[in-house]
Amino acid sequence: GRLEAFALDKTGRIRHREWPESNGWWSEWRDMTSPDGQAVTALAAGSPSEMHKDLFVITDGAVWHKSWGAADDGFSDWSEWGPIPLPYTRAVDLACTSSATGHVALFALDVAGEVYCRSYSPHVGWSSWRGLFAPGSRRAIAIAAGWQADSCQAVLFEVTGDGTVRCARSRL
């Protein structure tokens, strides 16, 4: 029922707005705290259900996560930031997609141009990071993700330095 927008300003601050606000329009842009007050270089968001949201960011090569949902006291609020360490590497870009069935796929691009994936299933919880190493020497420089609803598949798009766009699907 609510749309939300997240953006980074030129200083690396997270900005957030919602629609509809009580007046029926978009809210004003508001600051959102970052992990340890650090500048954020990339962000991705997903909403696997009407009552849950996930926000992922990169600060200084590290991936962080916070979620919004019903708390023990019955109110909904954002959790604290928690780190999600990538194994042996540093992240430079993120992409996230989610389904109405509660699944989430998070992709991280590392400094070497390799892509890693971590997924969430309501029945299993969060998986560990796994590398999605593509054959060949063309490394990714940017990533994006989407959801193929009719087949319960996450779709990853990556752009390589020579302008090639590649696509892969992963059944969750």
Side-chain angles (χ1 to χ4, degrees), residues 116-139:
Y116 293 81
C117 178
R118 187 171 196 248
S119 60
Y120 176 84
S121 166
H123 306 292
V124 179
W126 281 102
S127 70
S128 299
W129 286 108
R130 68 182 192 279
L132 305 178
F133 305 111
S137 60
R138 295 180 295 180
R139 301 289 186 216

Side-chain angles (χ1 to χ4, degrees), residues 2-105:
R2 293 182 72 87
L3 297 177
E4 294 189 71
F6 298 91
L8 295 177
D9 70 11
K10 62 184 175 183
T11 66
R13 289 184 313 172
I14 304 169
R15 307 284 286 155
H16 173 247
R17 68 190 307 191
E18 298 175 280
W19 180 87
E21 188 68 19
S22 58
N23 61 9
W25 300 95
W26 280 95
S27 68
E28 295 297 320
W29 284 103
R30 299 178 183 115
D31 286 337
M32 184 175 222
T33 60
S34 63
D36 297 330
Q38 297 181 55
V40 173
T41 55
L43 64 78
S47 183
S49 75
E50 195 173 301
M51 294 305 298
H52 187 89
K53 299 174 244 183
D54 290 295
L55 183 62
F56 304 92
V57 299
I58 297 173
T59 62
D60 197 26
V63 179
W64 294 80
H65 169 245
K66 76 182 325 185
S67 61
W68 179 93
D72 293 337
D73 60 8
F75 293 98
S76 297
D77 201 2
W78 285 99
S79 69
E80 296 296 320
W81 287 105
I84 309 175
L86 270 172
Y88 315 112
T89 190
R90 298 168 60 77
V92 295
D93 198 8
L94 290 172
C96 180
T97 187
S98 55
S99 76
T101 59
H103 293 84
V104 178

